[in-house]
Amino acid sequence: MQAKKRYLLVSVVAGLLFLIYLWALQIGEFPQQHQYPHTPYHYQSHQQRQQDVYQSQPLPQKVPSRPARRWPESTELLEPYLEGGEQEEDSPQLHHQHTSPRERRAICNNIYKNKRCRMETCFDFARCQSGFRVYIYPPQRGDSISETYQKILTSIEESRFHTTDPSRACLFILAVDTLDRDQLSVQYIQNVRTRIHNLPTWNDGRNHLIFNLYSGTWPDYTEDLGFEVGQAMLAKASADVANFRPNFDISIPLFSKDHLLKRGATGYPTLNDAPPFRKYQLVFKGKRYLTGIGSETRNALYHVHNGDDVILLTTCKHGKDWEKHKDSRCDRDNRDYSQFDYQELLHNSSFCLVPRGRRLGSFRFLEALQAACIPVILSNGWELPFSEVIDWRKAAIIGDERLLLQVPSITRSVGRDRILALRQHTQFLWEAYFSSVTKIVLTTLEIIQDRVESHVSRNHLLWNSLPGGLYALPQYSADPAQFPFYYAVLGKNPSQRFTAVIHMVSPLQSHISPVVKLIIAVAKSKFCAQIVVLWNCDKSLPPKNKWPSTSVPLSVVEGQTKTMSSRFLPHDDIITDAVLSLDEDSVLSTNEVDFAFIVWQSFPERIVGYPARSHYWDSSRSRWGYTSKWTNDYSMVLTGAAFYHRYYHYLFTHYVPASLRTMV
Amino acid sequence: MYASGKYSSRGPALIPRMKTKHRIYYITLFSVVLLGLIATGMFQFWPHSIESTTEWTLEKGSVHDAPLIRLPGSSPIPERGDLSCRMHTCFDVYRCGYNPKNRIKVYIYPLQRFVDELGVPISSTGLSREYNDLLSAISDSDFYTDDVTRACLFIPSIDVLNQNSLRIRETAQALAMLPRWDKGMNHLLFNMLPGGPPDYNTALDVPRDRALLAGGGFSTWTYRQGYDVGIPVYSPLSADVVLPERQPGPRRYFILSSQTAIHREYRAELERLKEENGESLLLLDKCSNLSQGAALARKRCYKGQVYDYPQILQESSFCVVLRGARLGQAALSDVLQAGCVPVILADSYILPFSEVLDWKRASVVIPEEKLSEMYTILKSIPHRQVEEMQRQAHWFWEAYFSSMKAIGLTTLQIINDRIYPYAARTYEQWNNPPVVKWSSVNSPLFLPLIPPRAPGFTAVILTYDRVESLFRVITEISKVPSLAKLLVVWNNQNKSPPEESLWPKVGVPLKVVRTKDNKLSNRFFPYDEIETEAVLAIDDDIIMLTSDELQFGYEVWREFPDRLVGYPGRLHLWDHEMGKWKYESEWTNEVSMVLTGAAFYHKYFNYLYTYKMPGDIKNWVDAHMNCEDIAMNFLVANITGKAPIKVTPRKKFKCPECTAIDGLSLDQTHMVERSECINKFASVFGTMPLKVVEHRADPVLYKDDFPEKLKSFPNIGSL
């Protein structure tokens, strides 16, 4: 027994020793991490900062057995890379006085043409000085224009950029249908080259925009359009980075001929599964190419398919003579293929694989986007649609075709919160830029307009957050803080004051007229910064002393057009974010004004007002009706007394179609 | 210590069963431990012994001790560099591999001194101070590996920052001699001053095969988008000069031009602008009357008047950064450091880190042609925006320009983001200064959807043993038209819920969940039974709410699905005397919380409460059996930045006889406890996220003089 106890004691002590030894090794690691104080003081302060910058990623665990070897500290003084006189040497004065900047620019403009076009060398900015106007060439007789191209032309014609005067135009659009440049296609148009070169203002394509969905043909699908584009910009689907002229061409999505002109189908918005969980993890259903060029990825998909939550199906059936080329897997693939319904997969999967097909882009991309199925893009070299402005990493997983086998583990590593954000972003992008042909075309035009005047353009935030670039007009302001939409993301609040705009159409009668009472009541509000009276009355302006004296500045602006909609003109006098729009006969107390303003501060993107009205569907006359009756719900508040953001003045004047404005 | 305790406690249990095999057992145990000890020891010290014998002599500390490599005159030269290279064609992604940390591994070649056959070095400066800083920063970073076989990216220790000091052909030969060169695949070169007289190419002239180039002066024609990285031209002043902190705001000068090497045509143009617009423009040039020397770089002159550079940059709102012979200018770094908004006139220039930085927020880019319109263009930018840009400019410098370390690590992070795009840093992480990062709110439910009415809501009732009251609540709630399901969370482990037959008969499914522990957080657990988006959390004693009130609350929630929509409103106040937060349940003009004794919210918040609650709040709540509702209010307000919505005027929710039981003193301690909760949560969140509002939601026709039977929600209680 004694011996046994001794043995026990010895083994316990040995175990303890071992543990202490390991523990000591662990501690030994710590000082190693901090024993490199050779950086001067200012670097150390930066080091801390850098940690903030990279905080999103966990610091790596150190491998205890292998101390990292560091770059040695040098003991002697090294030369700086830039000697004192270096910047002087970088002066054109010393080396080549003869090349003046103007000459250099001229040389550039001559060299960088065609394939190497950029805005500064191939675009005539002078044409855009009277604003960004788009001209469409008149169609020639006998032209066959595809339905899709007609939709594109219609959406331009209906946009606020359209002009019928070529001399005022900044951008020209061809009447010839260039969408389908596949020579085997029925919609292929012959003789485009001569047609284009005969245009009087072609000018080697300067300031022209050419739309294209399909280029090249079987078997190699080159990017050839069959005519020289010259200095014209290309808005092209399935753009390839190798041929894409950055910040000059525009990559557009491939959309089907069923894509609606205006009000596109809505997405499938539901956040019911938040945090998200869908039946399938990753799905794909599509063709596999036995001959000709095509995605190799699709041939390897069966390695990843697991029949459970990763459903990747391919079929060999396409073309007339597929059976001639069929391989050993075809029968089995085709059988699996027919067992699943595409729509069912699409709407019940978290991720959708979007591999390239014959060309780089595919219809599947928009379909997945619409279905809130996060696209997993495997299409090396594809310049993503509108990549100049859209941050696709917020809505898609961009993979590498070479790493197909990693895709399942990548998708599984995406956290549920991230999936929720990605999915909402797919819906935002779909709604904002892709849901209709008009949206796609307008986005294309807005991107070009942003380039024309770079200091009046949308930054990344305006393009990539709600409500999207098409509703955030940089001509109003390039500063996101001036819009009602971005207070939360910027961590700001709207200004604490408002401007009252009183719309007057009748003359000022006496000191007891309702408008005087109104002015006094509003001026007493502690949030009121100023009062602007918009004089839209045919009578002449009353003298200054007729107006009540107020503690806040009161200015009278004479309306120029005296129309109803001029009340929404973006007057420069309005300096506050909030506008209180008033009719002269509105009756309000100071308390009511204060309260409404406080409510508006909670909802700066909404109209907050007093008189409510609603619309209803009049089924007997099958049209909409308007009612001011007492109802249980409302859909409008009258701007006779309402708070809203001053940006809506700008939108009303510049965004609402002119026809609608004249009707008002 | 813990582990050793386990050992000794296990020991005695074994003793009684020991027989003759014990001896063998202990000997084996002992030898195993010993062997383990030796093995670990070997593991620890083995690599050290290898390293001490490796080629690297630099640890002794001198650059000039680096091994000398003589380049044969005939050694091969790499190809010039392929303009069509992209990550998917010229970069071997297999080297990087899939790893859970999503971080590339970077190897730095050991330092060598290359000389040609005659012994002339390939570079006049050798290793520059800046390149040494850069390499040392990378080797200290998490990207670094010393294992060449595991590396994904290789950085030569050949300094090519400044092309002027290089012998092009020999440098190229040296690159090709690198052991893993392999046509430049996965190699990264850093260059800040490319090209040379007379035509100044915008990319490094050294032939480099497929190597990636981090270059300081790319034009749009030499920059391979998504492959190369545009980097700043480092300004040595960044390290030498500490500028005082300067808040954004109006400054003495409007436009300042401080560069000394401006082409005379442009200088004439600037002079003309100054003539037209007067004092608000300041045009500085180098000082002719000062003696040459290092001090000269720190002075600028205008008509004999001497200004300190770069301090003077802080005195201007905008600072001109014109191209010289090269596109990239070190002046850009100085300008940003001073928090002056750069006005960049360099056509086709690829701005530093433009792949990730949003330069529109920090600079104004004007075509060179429009130099004469500069003043009008800049005048059109509102003050508030200028201030924003000033702040942004300074932040860019601080984070990405201020040192070679910042430049190097940013470059590596950009490449890292390309290789692991699904784990890339976001736009906000790159571009938002810390102050915005702190204050901005990105709601997880940002898509403005109005959920359809049809799915209805799930009522989750937390109960312990008040069966009678519970049944009354169930009966009341079951009258609400949009109720989809009732979920009773039975929190009493000692008592079983009543038999099924005893429960009130309701028209919707009724489920009872029994919990393992009596915890308050059970009410916020994301039960699978909750299938609707909307959840109504309700206590088992809230019997006064009418079905109209509940239905109306649901309608309001649909309008604001990302908010807490509830009935009892509460407020937090700052107690000036005590210097801390106070909980307030009296009648107030404001509301900052709604109690989850009766509140609608999105079921996503259940998930957040259970899995993403910061700090120890969840355990704290369970331990104190209080304040779960305050915690929920904090959580929702913090993540959405929005206030809750109180619906209907009702103030009393429990039956009068029940409230009478609670004595006044009990009420007082309750208030103290609740105040404590607020202070505790505020400290955990690091801020006070609650938002105060002064409005509530009532039905459109509430209190209107209108026939009650025509109102949608006539039965709205007033107390």
Side-chain angles (χ1 to χ4, degrees):
Chain A
M1 216 49 187
Q2 279 296 328
K4 281 166 194 168
K5 266 185 184 163
R6 206 166 56 232
Y7 281 136
L8 181 77
L9 203 72
V10 166
S11 70
V12 165
V13 165
L16 259 173
L17 268 174
F18 184 58
L19 278 169
I20 288 169
Y21 178 70
L22 282 179
W23 181 59
L25 282 180
Q26 287 289 323
I27 288 187
E29 287 302 315
F30 274 104
Q32 280 193 351
Q33 286 186 332
H34 298 292
Q35 68 182 15
Y36 298 94
H38 60 270
T39 43
Y41 175 72
H42 61 271
Y43 277 164
Q44 283 190 339
S45 68
H46 186 77
Q47 215 160 347
Q48 285 176 344
R49 236 179 272 132
Q50 206 63 34
Q51 276 176 3
D52 291 346
V53 174
Y54 293 100
Q55 65 190 355
S56 65
Q57 282 160 0
L59 288 167
Q61 294 292 308
K62 278 178 69 74
V63 185
S65 66
R66 189 182 276 279
R69 189 170 58 194
R70 306 292 166 139
W71 190 257
E73 181 188 358
S74 110
T75 46
E76 70 257 70
L77 274 177
L78 294 171
E79 298 272 316
Y81 86 106
L82 192 77
E83 301 114 50
E86 198 75 44
Q87 283 291 43
E88 290 301 308
E89 196 197 316
D90 188 21
S91 154
Q93 283 174 329
L94 297 177
H95 275 280
H96 48 154
Q97 275 287 17
H98 55 281
T99 23
S100 84
R102 205 157 291 131
E103 283 169 32
R104 191 183 51 224
R105 284 206 300 271
I107 295 168
C108 250
N109 288 353
N110 280 327
I111 299 174
Y112 297 112
K113 285 277 136 86
N114 301 333
K115 283 241 160 209
R116 295 196 285 178
C117 264
R118 296 293 185 274
M119 290 301 274
E120 53 262 50
T121 59
C122 295
F123 191 87
D124 190 357
F125 289 93
R127 280 195 156 277
C128 304
Q129 262 162 5
S130 62
F132 185 71
R133 295 271 169 271
V134 183
Y135 172 76
I136 304 175
Y137 286 105
Q140 289 184 3
R141 262 188 298 158
D143 268 357
S144 73
I145 290 181
S146 68
E147 203 186 325
T148 311
Y149 198 60
Q150 190 52 55
K151 280 183 196 160
I152 290 177
L153 295 182
T154 313
S155 39
I156 296 172
E157 273 161 14
E158 287 175 358
S159 77
R160 60 185 200 283
F161 305 117
H162 183 241
T163 179
T164 49
D165 178 4
S167 67
R168 289 183 62 221
C170 166
L171 195 65
F172 295 84
I173 311 282
L174 301 179
V176 192
D177 183 355
T178 50
L179 285 185
D180 194 341
R181 301 303 297 160
D182 181 345
Q183 288 160 28
L184 303 179
S185 162
V186 282
Q187 290 184 327
Y188 181 78
I189 311 273
Q190 307 285 338
N191 301 330
V192 169
R193 181 195 305 235
T194 45
R195 287 278 310 277
I196 288 174
H197 290 265
N198 289 338
L199 291 173
T201 45
W202 172 246
N203 192 14
D204 195 28
R206 257 177 122 77
N207 292 36
H208 283 64
L209 177 66
I210 293 172
F211 285 93
N212 176 256
L213 291 182
Y214 311 97
S215 63
T217 187
W218 197 86
D220 52 352
Y221 295 91
T222 55
E223 297 227 350
D224 181 33
L225 290 191
F227 61 93
E228 288 99 51
V229 176
Q231 302 179 40
M233 286 182 263
L234 262 180
K236 189 177 178 309
S238 305
D240 175 3
V241 284
N243 295 309
F244 188 77
R245 296 169 290 183
N247 295 325
F248 189 71
D249 291 336
I250 290 176
S251 175
I252 59 172
L254 187 64
F255 55 92
S256 73
K257 64 182 193 320
D258 304 324
H259 215 64
L260 294 173
L261 171 66
K262 267 191 186 150
R263 181 81 204 161
T266 52
Y268 297 89
T270 167
L271 294 179
N272 195 11
D273 48 351
F277 177 79
R278 285 191 175 183
K279 190 171 161 197
Y280 303 113
Q281 177 74 14
L282 179 67
V283 298
F284 171 76
K285 200 176 172 190
K287 289 180 228 167
R288 185 153 72 82
Y289 303 107
L290 300 169
T291 56
I293 195 170
S295 163
E296 289 294 316
T297 318
R298 295 190 179 195
N299 293 333
L301 286 183
Y302 71 93
H303 291 298
V304 184
H305 171 84
N306 69 5
D308 177 29
D309 64 345
V310 177
I311 307 289
L312 308 174
L313 308 164
T314 53
T315 178
C316 306
K317 285 188 198 168
H318 57 94
K320 279 175 222 129
D321 49 355
W322 68 273
E323 279 184 321
K324 253 198 286 185
H325 306 285
K326 98 179 198 186
D327 58 21
S328 57
R329 284 201 55 86
C330 273
D331 287 330
R332 196 173 147 200
D333 285 350
N334 290 351
R335 202 171 53 244
D336 287 345
Y337 187 84
S338 54
Q339 278 174 358
F340 290 89
D341 176 51
Y342 178 55
Q343 290 297 324
E344 205 263 337
L345 289 177
L346 203 58
H347 293 128
N348 290 296
S349 178
S350 297
F351 295 91
C352 281
L353 200 67
V354 184
R356 71 192 156 96
R358 296 271 199 217
R359 299 186 178 89
L360 287 169
S362 66
F363 292 120
R364 204 155 277 101
F365 182 62
L366 281 193
E367 286 163 359
L369 208 62
Q370 180 181 15
C373 184
I374 301 158
V376 178
I377 299 163
L378 290 183
S379 186
N380 286 358
W382 183 22
E383 186 75 34
L384 294 178
F386 303 135
S387 54
E388 190 177 335
V389 296
I390 291 180
D391 185 357
W392 280 107
R393 284 174 183 174
K394 284 188 168 161
I397 303 289
I398 300 160
D400 189 322
E401 282 180 56
R402 293 174 289 178
L403 304 176
L404 169 69
L405 297 183
Q406 286 180 11
V407 165
S409 41
I410 289 171
T411 59
R412 282 181 216 283
S413 74
V414 180
R416 301 212 282 181
D417 291 327
R418 178 101 194 284
I419 292 182
L420 182 65
L422 284 164
R423 180 174 306 158
Q424 289 179 83
H425 217 83
T426 61
Q427 292 302 293
F428 154 61
L429 290 178
W430 165 259
E431 275 296 317
Y433 304 116
F434 299 106
S435 60
S436 66
V437 177
T438 305
K439 291 232 164 106
I440 294 174
V441 170
L442 281 181
T443 309
T444 312
L445 296 181
E446 293 278 11
I447 289 174
I448 298 174
Q449 192 191 11
D450 265 13
R451 293 175 188 162
V452 170
E453 272 195 274
S454 67
H455 64 278
V456 195
S457 60
R458 299 165 182 86
N459 65 24
H460 183 102
L461 184 72
L462 263 51
W463 279 112
N464 288 286
S465 45
L466 282 154
L470 298 187
Y471 297 109
L473 306 184
Q475 288 74 26
Y476 160 77
S477 170
D479 178 14
Q482 307 296 315
F483 291 86
F485 315 119
Y486 314 109
Y487 290 119
V489 282
L490 295 173
K492 289 179 186 269
N493 291 308
S495 62
Q496 302 293 309
R497 319 290 298 278
F498 68 84
T499 303
V501 178
I502 302 176
H503 186 234
M504 283 197 70
V505 287
S506 58
L508 195 63
Q509 305 258 315
S510 67
H511 282 289
I512 48 153
S513 64
V515 69
V516 173
K517 277 190 196 152
L518 181 67
I519 289 174
I520 291 170
V522 169
K524 271 197 204 149
S525 164
K526 57 179 182 276
F527 303 113
C528 184
Q530 54 169 345
I531 298 176
V532 177
V533 174
L534 185 63
W535 190 256
N536 258 356
C537 171
D538 296 333
K539 300 273 166 45
S540 63
L541 274 175
K544 267 236 159 90
N545 56 17
K546 282 270 193 178
W547 299 100
S549 63
T550 53
S551 53
V552 295
L554 180 127
S555 53
V556 182
V557 182
E558 193 159 9
Q560 272 155 15
T561 51
K562 312 247 172 190
T563 55
M564 204 57 194
S565 54
S566 72
R567 72 183 303 171
F568 298 131
L569 281 180
H571 300 287
D572 294 336
D573 305 297
I574 304 172
I575 48 160
T576 58
D577 291 335
V579 175
L580 170 60
S581 172
L582 291 167
D583 283 345
E584 57 189 311
D585 55 354
S586 302
V587 180
L588 282 178
S589 72
T590 309
N591 261 331
E592 286 169 331
V593 171
D594 283 349
F595 177 64
F597 181 68
I598 289 170
V599 175
W600 176 83
Q601 285 183 315
S602 295
F603 308 102
E605 74 287 355
R606 301 196 183 205
I607 296 185
V608 174
Y610 306 88
R613 296 289 183 268
S614 51
H615 69 286
Y616 64 96
W617 181 249
D618 188 344
S619 45
S620 60
R621 294 157 71 193
S622 73
R623 51 180 282 185
W624 291 106
Y626 170 88
T627 177
S628 60
K629 293 223 180 72
W630 295 48
T631 50
N632 278 303
D633 46 24
Y634 62 94
S635 55
M636 292 171 267
V637 294
L638 301 190
T639 52
F643 281 97
Y644 50 81
H645 197 280
R646 77 189 165 110
Y647 176 58
Y648 294 121
H649 269 182
Y650 188 87
L651 267 189
F652 184 90
T653 315
H654 293 95
Y655 194 80
V656 172
S659 57
L660 211 139
R661 256 197 329 272
T662 43
M663 197 182 104
V664 174
Chain B
M1 285 316 286
Y2 179 69
S4 70
K6 230 160 109 184
Y7 269 57
S8 51
S9 72
R10 187 182 286 173
L14 283 166
I15 292 168
R17 271 178 275 141
M18 284 200 293
K19 294 266 156 65
T20 44
K21 291 168 195 162
H22 306 152
R23 177 178 289 230
I24 304 165
Y25 171 78
Y26 279 115
I27 289 172
T28 331
L29 180 74
F30 194 75
S31 50
V32 162
V33 168
L34 205 72
L35 266 173
L37 215 77
I38 292 165
T40 358
M42 297 282 276
F43 233 78
Q44 275 296 315
F45 299 111
W46 198 252
H48 284 285
S49 60
I50 286 182
E51 252 162 56
S52 60
T53 62
T54 42
E55 73 287 26
W56 205 329
T57 54
L58 244 171
E59 259 154 2
K60 289 173 203 145
S62 173
V63 171
H64 303 292
D65 292 345
L68 204 68
I69 307 285
R70 204 171 285 272
L71 295 165
S74 59
S75 77
I77 301 176
E79 281 172 34
R80 264 205 64 79
D82 183 357
L83 264 183
S84 67
C85 261
R86 292 295 181 276
M87 290 308 265
H88 65 272
T89 56
C90 295
F91 192 88
D92 181 6
V93 75
Y94 297 112
R95 281 189 181 279
C96 306
Y98 177 75
N99 69 63
K101 275 171 268 167
N102 296 317
R103 188 179 281 108
I104 55 170
K105 286 286 162 211
V106 181
Y107 174 78
I108 303 176
Y109 284 100
L111 191 64
Q112 291 168 324
R113 286 179 303 146
F114 290 92
V115 291
D116 66 6
E117 278 176 323
L118 302 172
V120 184
I122 59 166
S123 156
S124 57
T125 49
L127 181 70
S128 69
R129 191 195 304 159
E130 281 78 10
Y131 201 58
N132 185 56
D133 288 348
L134 180 83
L135 295 180
S136 117
I138 292 172
S139 72
D140 277 346
S141 75
D142 304 330
F143 293 110
Y144 181 68
T145 179
D146 57 351
D147 183 353
V148 74
T149 56
R150 284 173 60 210
C152 150
L153 199 64
F154 301 86
I155 300 183
S157 52
I158 303 168
D159 180 1
V160 292
L161 282 181
N162 185 349
Q163 191 184 313
N164 289 359
S165 58
L166 294 180
R167 295 166 69 197
I168 306 282
R169 189 187 135 86
E170 286 74 13
T171 309
Q173 285 174 328
L175 286 176
M177 291 255 304
L178 294 172
R180 299 262 167 171
W181 179 249
D182 187 20
K183 291 220 161 291
M185 195 88 97
N186 293 26
H187 280 64
L188 175 65
L189 304 178
F190 285 89
N191 167 253
M192 286 181 175
L193 299 179
D199 54 349
Y200 290 98
N201 190 359
T202 53
L204 181 66
D205 277 322
V206 176
R208 53 184 191 279
D209 279 334
R210 295 171 158 192
L212 295 129
L213 185 60
F218 280 120
S219 82
T220 166
W221 292 286
T222 48
Y223 178 66
R224 296 169 289 184
Q225 199 164 18
Y227 192 67
D228 292 327
V229 183
I231 59 169
V233 180
Y234 175 72
S235 166
L237 292 182
S238 296
D240 299 346
V241 183
V242 180
L243 292 176
E245 198 71 13
R246 177 97 195 234
Q247 290 306 311
R251 307 221 163 148
R252 191 162 150 214
Y253 302 105
F254 184 57
I255 302 173
L256 173 69
S257 161
S258 62
Q259 287 165 289
T260 52
I262 296 178
H263 195 277
R264 59 187 147 82
E265 258 179 47
Y266 282 152
R267 194 166 282 282
E269 193 84 60
L270 288 170
E271 295 282 357
R272 208 171 56 242
L273 274 175
K274 181 167 173 55
E275 266 168 43
E276 287 165 14
N277 302 298
E279 287 301 301
S280 61
L281 267 78
L282 183 62
L283 298 185
L284 300 179
D285 204 345
K286 59 173 165 290
C287 298
S288 47
N289 48 359
L290 288 179
S291 59
Q292 288 287 331
L296 194 66
R298 303 279 302 273
K299 296 281 179 218
R300 292 288 187 274
C301 289
Y302 175 69
K303 289 197 176 153
Q305 204 169 347
V306 184
Y307 297 87
D308 282 333
Y309 183 85
Q311 284 81 355
I312 184 66
L313 294 172
Q314 286 196 313
E315 301 300 321
S316 180
S317 297
F318 292 99
C319 294
V320 180
V321 181
L322 256 169
R323 66 166 294 165
R326 295 191 175 97
L327 285 167
Q329 295 289 312
L332 177 61
S333 176
D334 301 336
V335 166
L336 293 175
Q337 183 180 12
C340 183
V341 180
V343 182
I344 297 162
L345 294 117
D347 288 356
S348 78
Y349 176 43
I350 300 292
L351 285 164
F353 303 131
S354 57
E355 188 172 334
V356 292
L357 299 189
D358 188 355
W359 280 99
K360 284 182 184 169
R361 277 171 73 175
S363 70
V364 183
V365 178
I366 298 178
E368 289 172 50
E369 230 175 4
K370 291 195 175 173
L371 178 57
S372 56
E373 296 164 40
M374 176 171 71
Y375 189 83
T376 17
I377 290 173
L378 296 181
K379 269 288 170 200
S380 71
I381 301 172
H383 291 295
R384 278 203 273 184
Q385 195 182 347
V386 176
E387 282 176 27
E388 232 16 81
M389 289 169 129
Q390 287 171 339
R391 181 175 294 125
Q392 194 73 13
H394 184 69
W395 147 250
F396 275 2
W397 177 82
E398 217 176 66
Y400 308 113
F401 280 65
S402 55
S403 63
M404 288 305 287
K405 173 179 176 163
I407 295 172
L409 295 188
T410 308
T411 310
L412 293 185
Q413 185 65 42
I414 289 175
I415 296 171
N416 194 84
D417 282 3
R418 293 182 192 155
I419 291 163
Y420 306 107
Y422 43 87
R425 285 157 54 84
T426 62
Y427 168 85
E428 286 76 18
Q429 285 171 325
W430 281 112
N431 287 283
N432 281 355
V435 52
V436 178
K437 281 197 188 107
W438 266 105
S439 57
S440 79
V441 180
N442 283 301
S443 172
L445 302 171
F446 61 85
L447 200 65
L449 296 173
I450 295 185
R453 182 181 287 121
F457 64 88
T458 307
V460 178
I461 311 172
L462 184 74
T463 190
Y464 190 73
D465 58 0
R466 286 185 287 202
V467 177
E468 191 194 340
S469 168
L470 170 71
F471 285 178
R472 265 179 82 182
V473 172
I474 291 177
T475 321
E476 279 303 314
I477 297 178
S478 64
K479 294 177 195 157
V480 183
S482 283
L483 178 73
K485 191 188 256 183
L486 273 160
L487 192 66
V488 175
V489 179
W490 190 264
N491 231 0
N492 188 343
Q493 285 77 38
N494 304 322
K495 206 164 127 187
S496 301
E499 273 177 53
E500 212 174 300
S501 57
L502 299 174
W503 290 80
K505 299 282 164 288
V506 289
V508 294
L510 191 153
K511 277 245 174 167
V512 181
V513 201
R514 295 199 63 180
T515 56
K516 282 206 193 81
D517 306 289
N518 181 18
K519 282 182 181 171
L520 276 177
S521 52
N522 287 338
R523 76 179 320 171
F524 295 136
F525 188 81
Y527 298 101
D528 288 339
E529 283 84 358
I530 304 176
E531 288 167 317
T532 57
E533 276 186 78
V535 177
L536 168 67
I538 192 159
D539 285 347
D540 59 2
D541 55 353
I542 306 288
I543 50 171
M544 304 277 279
L545 279 174
T546 65
S547 99
D548 267 355
E549 283 170 328
L550 287 169
Q551 178 66 23
F552 175 68
Y554 174 61
E555 298 292 338
V556 173
W557 174 83
R558 284 180 54 231
E559 186 78 18
F560 304 102
D562 56 345
R563 301 195 189 212
L564 275 172
V565 174
Y567 300 87
R570 294 290 184 270
L571 184 66
H572 71 286
L573 286 171
W574 182 252
D575 189 336
H576 283 284
E577 280 170 34
M578 311 286 284
K580 56 184 206 177
W581 296 105
K582 200 178 133 209
Y583 178 78
E584 186 60 79
S585 66
E586 295 299 311
W587 293 38
T588 52
N589 280 310
E590 295 158 323
V591 168
S592 62
M593 292 173 270
V594 295
L595 301 190
T596 51
F600 288 93
Y601 59 87
H602 198 286
K603 75 167 173 186
Y604 179 66
F605 296 127
N606 273 347
Y607 161 79
L608 285 184
Y609 186 97
T610 309
Y611 299 112
K612 300 287 163 95
M613 181 63 93
D616 58 340
I617 290 183
K618 210 174 136 229
N619 293 332
W620 201 83
V621 165
D622 287 335
H624 287 72
M625 280 302 265
N626 199 350
C627 299
E628 90 286 7
D629 44 1
I630 299 181
M632 187 58 134
N633 273 281
F634 266 75
L635 181 77
V636 175
N638 184 55
I639 203 151
T640 64
K642 291 176 181 171
I645 291 182
K646 165 162 175 52
V647 279
T648 74
R650 181 177 290 285
K651 302 279 184 304
K652 291 245 187 298
F653 301 91
K654 302 175 182 181
C655 54
E657 62 268 29
C658 320
T659 46
I661 302 166
D662 302 338
L664 192 70
S665 61
L666 191 70
D667 211 41
Q668 289 252 308
T669 49
H670 179 67
M671 288 298 144
V672 171
E673 246 178 61
R674 305 277 280 180
S675 296
E676 221 168 273
C677 291
I678 295 186
N679 284 298
K680 157 82 184 168
F681 297 165
S683 75
V684 171
F685 277 86
T687 172
M688 169 48 77
L690 296 179
K691 298 269 184 300
V692 178
V693 283
E694 296 180 59
H695 51 81
R696 66 162 194 244
D698 288 335
V700 174
L701 293 178
Y702 174 66
K703 275 200 171 174
D704 277 354
D705 188 12
F706 195 67
E708 290 290 317
K709 62 181 176 198
L710 291 180
K711 289 183 181 176
S712 295
F713 307 102
N715 195 4
I716 301 286
S718 57
L719 260 178

